Every structure is written in structure tokens, then in C-alpha cells.
């Protein structure tokens, strides 16, 4: 009985693991912190654009990788 209860509890915990509250990230307070944050955002966007550009049209991940990326006309 204890084993069954333990399995049910662990299953419930595993099922709700994806619904956790996102971690809090404090707002930058200095100019240097704001600049680093902006540079990180720009690097992430450049990487998304690069991945979208090099992914073949037949790849099933193409739509996901290119979501929110402005596509250039080839």
C-alpha cells in the first residue's frame, strides 16, 4: 500500500514539474548590466536568425526555428 501511494505521489510531482513558476530575474540596475542584457538578447536573436537561415525547408523544425524571425527573400 505504501509503495502504491509513493508511486502515485511521485507521478503527480512529475506531472506538475512542467508547470513550475518561472525563475525571477531581477531588472538590471546599472548601465553596464543593461548593456550586457541587451547584448545577450542580440546574440540570442542572431543565433535564431542563423538557425532559421541554415535549416532546410524540408526539416520539420523549420517552422519552430523561424517563428518570430523575419525571413529574407532569397
Amino acid at each position: 500500500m505504501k509503495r502504491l501511494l509513493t508511486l502515485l505521489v511521485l507521478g503527480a510531482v512529475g506531472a506538475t514539474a512542467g508547470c513550475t513558476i518561472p525563475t525571477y530575474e531581477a531588472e538590471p540596475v546599472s548601465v553596464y548590466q543593461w548593456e550586457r542584457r541587451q547584448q545577450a538578447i542580440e546574440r540570442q536573436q542572431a543565433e535564431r536568425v542563423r538557425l532559421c537561415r541554415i535549416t532546410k525547408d524540408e526539416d520539420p523544425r523549420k517552422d519552430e526555428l523561424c517563428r518570430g524571425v523575419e525571413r529574407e527573400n532569397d
Side-chain angles (χ1 to χ4, degrees):
M1 185 65 172
K2 283 185 178 182
R3 180 174 274 172
L4 178 62
L5 184 59
T6 302
L7 289 174
L8 289 174
V9 169
L10 290 177
V13 169
T16 60
C19 301
T20 59
I21 298 172
T23 57
Y24 173 75
E25 184 175 325
E27 288 287 318
V29 293
S30 70
V31 174
Y32 176 72
Q33 289 173 334
W34 277 104
E35 186 176 308
R36 287 192 51 178
R37 178 179 182 261
Q38 188 62 33
Q39 289 171 349
I41 293 169
E42 290 170 359
R43 280 192 306 272
Q44 289 170 351
Q45 183 63 20
E47 179 64 10
R48 290 185 68 206
V49 168
R50 185 187 74 81
L51 287 173
C52 179
R53 188 178 63 242
I54 65 172
T55 304
K56 297 184 186 216
D57 290 336
E58 302 83 34
D59 194 324
R61 299 173 297 164
K62 179 78 172 186
D63 290 336
E64 180 183 337
L65 291 172
C66 294
R67 190 175 303 130
V69 174
E70 291 184 23
R71 297 182 191 187
E72 296 177 6
N73 294 333
D74 293 320

